[in-house]
Amino acid sequence: MLILGIESSCDETAAAVVQDGRTILSSVIASQIDKHKIYGGVVPEIASRLHSEAIVGVVQEALAQSGKALGDMDAVAVTYAPGLIGALLVGVNFAKGLALSTGLPLIPVHHLRGHVASNYLTSPGLEPPFLCLVVSGGHSHIVQVEDYTKLKIIGRTRDDAAGEAFDKAARAMGIPYPGGVELDKIAEGGDPDAYKLPRPRVDGAPLDYSFSGLKTAVLNILNNAKQKGEEVRVPDLCASYRKAVVRSLADNFMKAAQQTGAKKLAVAGGVSANRLLRRELTRLCQETGRELFLPDLSLCGDNAAMIASQGYYEYLAGGTAGMNLNAYANVPLDVDAKDVKGEGRR
Ligand code: KG4
Ligand code: ZN
């Protein structure tokens, strides 16, 4: 089964052709990052406009690179939630137009379920059940993937997402947006024990995360140094901060693995590209006899191949939508598209 996937939830316009949920025939990503950089973050209105301008060309390019025609497709899968509403609407309306004019089935895909599916593309042998750490710019969840379309959140962040925590600390250190990527690189040359940072914990919820305290600690270090006229060693602060965030992510994730008895673990979302997170989880899984699945670096960030992959499994589970499909800014990943009501604030 050939699925054309479309993704436009944030600042990447992407399209891809994937066979049977596992084989990428093409994957095209048009990033808008350079246009948002000068503002220090994604500007929603600009994002929507750029998606509208790029989407036709990106879809055409994905079809051309796959060596297939639109008539060869069996379905269209599109990210319908969560994300910037104006950005999502561009992809959803384009996919609806395609489905209407070709008669192809339309499959709504949850963006975070798509991130989980980046592991199916990287590891052909991976099948649920497994435990997945979903860490992106907007979300940090520990998820029990019971089946391809049956997911349960057992840990979540109470404030900032992991990617957001990296981006905000980077910004405070003067590293340009999106700082998480750059902070990770700079940290490689720093001393992770140079600065003492707190160990965040959420009382009564051992699997939940909280990163705002760590961010405040970094701001305090920067402000104190400024007041005293001292210089902050940025690589050391990057390394210390990265160590603290990764330790928190890994601690709770391994705790969850122990609690649930999970032997297969996976990571997904933009932060799954983090070098230290990958190294730490590889070490911890080796030590505890667990199998670890990491997405290929090319599939960690937003892309449409992961949407087409998850779309295949949503289709097999009967998850198609009609022309009344809407986009939603907030939908938890354990809610099916057919059950989303009203504004999707469930
Ligand atoms: O999944 P993603 O591409 O977009 C969302 O769905 O949010 O995640 C983007 C986030 C950004 O916050 C970015 O800074 C972070 O992932 N990120 C990283 C790294 N690469 C991307 N954070 C830490 N280390 C990295 N290597
Ligand atoms: Zn994402």
Side-chain angles (χ1 to χ4, degrees):
M1 182 175 187
L2 287 178
I3 296 188
L4 172 66
I6 296 173
E7 153 68 36
S8 71
S9 66
C10 190
D11 59 349
E12 262 100 26
T13 319
V17 176
V18 172
Q19 188 164 19
D20 298 334
R22 296 279 177 164
T23 310
I24 301 174
L25 301 195
S26 68
S27 178
V28 175
I29 304 169
S31 173
Q32 310 174 350
I33 276 187
D34 286 345
K35 300 276 178 13
H36 298 288
K37 230 175 196 158
I38 49 167
Y39 304 104
V42 178
V43 183
E45 188 53 38
I46 295 175
S48 313
R49 210 172 318 137
L50 293 175
H51 284 306
S52 302
E53 288 170 15
I55 197 153
V56 175
V58 167
V59 170
Q60 277 175 337
E61 187 59 25
L63 287 169
Q65 286 186 17
S66 73
K68 305 283 180 191
L70 185 56
D72 297 325
M73 298 299 117
D74 297 301
V76 180
V78 64
T79 307
Y80 79 99
L84 303 170
I85 191 67
L88 286 164
L89 278 167
V90 176
V92 166
N93 285 323
F94 190 84
K96 280 163 75 170
L98 269 185
L100 186 65
S101 57
T102 55
L104 291 174
L106 176 66
I107 312 165
V109 175
H110 191 285
H111 182 77
L112 296 180
R113 290 192 189 188
H115 273 302
V116 174
S118 62
N119 286 289
Y120 305 141
L121 294 165
T122 306
S123 307
L126 175 64
E127 283 176 16
F130 58 91
L131 195 66
C132 191
L133 178 67
V134 183
V135 271
S136 70
H139 299 84
S140 295
H141 292 322
I142 298 174
V143 178
Q144 268 184 307
V145 185
E146 293 170 353
D147 206 340
Y148 291 102
T149 57
K150 198 164 170 245
L151 300 91
K152 196 166 135 198
I153 302 169
I154 58 169
R156 66 184 75 227
T157 182
R158 296 296 181 101
D159 39 58
D160 293 346
E164 195 181 359
F166 277 121
D167 293 342
K168 284 181 176 170
R171 188 176 178 157
M173 288 184 237
I175 301 166
Y177 179 85
V181 185
E182 203 55 35
L183 187 150
D184 186 25
K185 270 189 220 152
I186 298 171
E188 291 288 296
D191 172 8
D193 300 314
Y195 292 94
K196 288 263 160 299
L197 290 165
R199 215 176 175 126
R201 213 172 310 149
V202 179
D203 277 345
L207 301 186
D208 282 0
Y209 294 111
S210 169
F211 295 114
S212 65
L214 274 176
K215 181 188 62 195
T216 307
V218 164
L219 290 175
N220 288 342
I221 288 169
L222 290 166
N223 287 337
N224 286 343
K226 203 171 165 188
Q227 275 172 7
K228 290 184 194 153
E230 289 170 7
E231 213 172 296
V232 169
R233 295 177 310 278
V234 171
D236 288 354
L237 187 54
C238 285
S240 304
Y241 184 73
R242 182 179 68 164
K243 183 182 169 186
V245 173
V246 166
R247 185 173 54 193
S248 170
L249 287 173
D251 274 0
N252 290 15
F253 191 40
M254 296 311 288
K255 221 180 285 167
Q258 208 167 17
Q259 267 184 28
T260 59
K263 287 276 171 233
K264 286 192 287 184
L265 307 189
V267 192
V271 182
S272 61
N274 188 271
R275 293 164 172 86
L276 183 65
L277 182 64
R278 293 173 85 96
R279 288 199 293 264
E280 266 303 283
L281 289 178
T282 302
R283 182 181 67 80
L284 290 166
C285 284
Q286 264 164 10
E287 277 176 19
T288 57
R290 293 188 166 89
E291 204 177 352
L292 179 68
F293 297 87
L294 294 167
D296 190 85
L297 286 175
S298 64
L299 293 167
C300 291
D302 290 348
N303 66 85
M306 67 186 198
I307 301 303
S309 170
Q310 181 62 23
Y312 173 71
Y313 295 104
E314 298 288 344
Y315 180 82
L316 294 184
T320 54
M323 281 303 127
N324 58 350
L325 174 66
N326 208 346
Y328 298 96
N330 298 303
V331 175
L333 96 167
D334 49 4
V335 172
D336 288 338
K338 65 175 171 30
D339 298 325
V340 177
K341 303 268 176 357
E343 294 306 304
R345 287 191 216 99
R346 289 177 43 130

